[in-house]
């Protein structure tokens, strides 16, 4: 995997924004996003939408940030800093989703700044991370402003009621997701446990693009979805096309999965810090 270019000496890195929830265990959410941004040479900006009470075993509770504070963070960052791309993560309620979508449009960002929507609906342990009413808001308010949506198979089932079990149902799901309004839809195959491969499928309404990698045999994959979306946003900030950005992010998250480490009593995180090894030897 060829790394993203670093800024020349004396010049600032490109900036990207994450609008998501905080993970107190440090494995996923904003913490995972910022690790990937930093390891890819990006300047990470943040709009915190929720604070979770979680560890490697599960999510115990979450607190929603007031809407004016969420909107204010987005406005403050984008009015001052040249944000080249953004991603969303945990947006816990219909009200928060509406606030983010409305602010994104009001600030003139829709259609001008690439937006990767990771429609986080539940933790890897099955703990809910959104109120049930939020699912329709994801479909009707967030997807139409998205450059790319990146649901996993559990989220696909919740959003379009399709169980992805093979290539045909994965294509059906991609079509259904794209019909909700994003420019591109990515159906991730990481949860397709029947396969030795991890097939991802990208669709723009006309063409399919397939991205495959051998499945990494690890129980420590917390934050993989966040890491993929953050890496995709970083590549888009550099001007990559969506297929190029997804290919880069797929290679990045596979590398992070290979270096994943145990933490606590549950699922450990993917390891974006693996990049430090390459930086140490000049690669």
């Amino acid at each position: 995997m060829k790394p993203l270019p670093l800024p020349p000496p004396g010049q600032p890195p490109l900036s990207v924004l994450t609008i998501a929830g905080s993970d107190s265990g440090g494995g996923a959410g904003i913490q995972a996003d910022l690790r990937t941004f930093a390891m890819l040479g990006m300047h990470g900006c943040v709009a915190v939408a929720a604070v979770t009470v979680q560890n490697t075993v599960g999510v115990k509770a979450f607190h929603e940030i007031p809407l004016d504070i969420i909107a204010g963070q987005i406005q403050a960052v984008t009015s001052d800093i040249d944000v080249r791309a953004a991603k969303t993560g945990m947006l816990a309620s219909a009200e928060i989703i509406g606030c983010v979508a409305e602010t994104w449009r009001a600030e003139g960002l829709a259609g001008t700044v690439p937006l990767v929507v990771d429609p986080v609906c539940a933790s890897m342990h099955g703990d809910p991370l959104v109120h049930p009413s939020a699912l329709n808001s994801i479909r009707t308010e967030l997807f139409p402003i998205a450059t790319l949506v990146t649901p996993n198979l559990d989220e696909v089932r919740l959003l379009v009621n399709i169980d992805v079990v093979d290539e045909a149902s994965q294509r059906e799901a991609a079509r259904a997701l794209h019909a909700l309004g994003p420019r591109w839809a990515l159906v991730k195959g990481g949860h397709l446990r029947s396969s030795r491969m991890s097939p991802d499928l990208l669709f723009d309404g006309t063409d399919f693009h397939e991205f495959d990698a051998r499945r990494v045999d690890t129980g420590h994959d917390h934050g993989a979805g966040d890491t993929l979306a953050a890496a995709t946003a970083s590549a888009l900030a550099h001007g990559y096309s969506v297929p190029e950005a997804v290919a880069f992010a797929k290679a990045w998250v596979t590398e992070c999965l290979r270096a994943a480490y145990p933490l606590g009593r549950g699922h450990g995180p993917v390891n974006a810090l693996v990049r430090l090894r390459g930086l140490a030897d000049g690669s």
Side-chain angles (χ1 to χ4, degrees), residues 111-195:
T112 60
V113 175
L115 179 65
V116 178
V117 171
D118 184 12
V120 177
C121 302
S123 75
M124 65 182 302
H125 308 282
D127 302 304
L129 292 174
V130 298
H131 297 295
S133 63
L135 287 174
N136 193 52
S137 293
I138 292 174
R139 299 183 192 101
T140 62
E141 298 192 62
L142 206 53
F143 275 27
I145 63 171
T147 304
L148 170 69
V149 296
T150 64
N152 62 35
L153 299 189
D154 296 322
E155 291 156 353
V156 167
R157 188 181 304 109
L158 288 169
L159 290 165
V160 294
N161 197 31
I162 294 174
D163 281 311
V164 175
V165 295
D166 55 20
E167 182 180 352
S169 54
Q170 193 175 29
R171 289 190 171 225
E172 180 187 7
R175 291 188 184 97
L177 289 163
H178 185 267
L180 295 174
R183 284 180 52 205
W184 297 79
L186 180 69
V187 181
K188 298 181 294 189
H191 290 186
L192 199 60
R193 300 298 181 184
S194 60
S195 172

Side-chain angles (χ1 to χ4, degrees), residues 26-27 35 218 220-221 256-257 259-263 266-273:
R35 274 197 299 276
T218 178
H220 304 302
D221 55 358
C256 294
L257 279 162
Y261 52 86
L263 186 72
H267 291 275
V270 302
N271 186 10
L273 299 179

Side-chain angles (χ1 to χ4, degrees), residues 32-229:
D33 294 340
L34 290 177
R35 274 197 299 276
T36 283
F37 292 159
M39 289 297 99
L40 294 179
M42 314 299 292
H43 175 81
C45 303
V46 169
V48 182
V51 175
T52 68
V53 180
Q54 68 173 296
N55 53 27
T56 65
V57 177
V59 179
K60 303 179 185 300
F62 61 83
H63 169 72
E64 300 170 25
I65 301 300
L67 301 183
D68 61 329
I69 300 299
I70 296 172
Q73 291 174 91
I74 297 170
Q75 291 162 346
V77 168
T78 60
S79 65
D80 177 53
I81 297 171
D82 182 19
V83 170
R84 297 295 184 90
K87 70 167 291 284
T88 67
M90 177 193 176
L91 304 177
S93 68
E95 292 77 14
I96 289 176
I97 292 165
C99 170
V100 170
E102 180 182 350
T103 305
W104 200 251
R105 285 189 289 262
E107 295 301 306
L109 303 169
T112 60
V113 175
L115 179 65
V116 178
V117 171
D118 184 12
V120 177
C121 302
S123 75
M124 65 182 302
H125 308 282
D127 302 304
L129 292 174
V130 298
H131 297 295
S133 63
L135 287 174
N136 193 52
S137 293
I138 292 174
R139 299 183 192 101
T140 62
E141 298 192 62
L142 206 53
F143 275 27
I145 63 171
T147 304
L148 170 69
V149 296
T150 64
N152 62 35
L153 299 189
D154 296 322
E155 291 156 353
V156 167
R157 188 181 304 109
L158 288 169
L159 290 165
V160 294
N161 197 31
I162 294 174
D163 281 311
V164 175
V165 295
D166 55 20
E167 182 180 352
S169 54
Q170 193 175 29
R171 289 190 171 225
E172 180 187 7
R175 291 188 184 97
L177 289 163
H178 185 267
L180 295 174
R183 284 180 52 205
W184 297 79
L186 180 69
V187 181
K188 298 181 294 189
H191 290 186
L192 199 60
R193 300 298 181 184
S194 60
S195 172
R196 288 181 298 176
M197 305 299 287
S198 177
D200 293 353
L201 185 67
L202 180 67
F203 183 56
D204 69 348
T206 303
D207 298 318
F208 289 99
H209 303 261
E210 297 179 0
F211 305 89
D212 217 349
R214 184 167 294 279
R215 185 176 301 282
V216 178
D217 185 16
T218 178
H220 304 302
D221 55 358
H222 191 39
D226 306 272
T227 299
L228 178 80

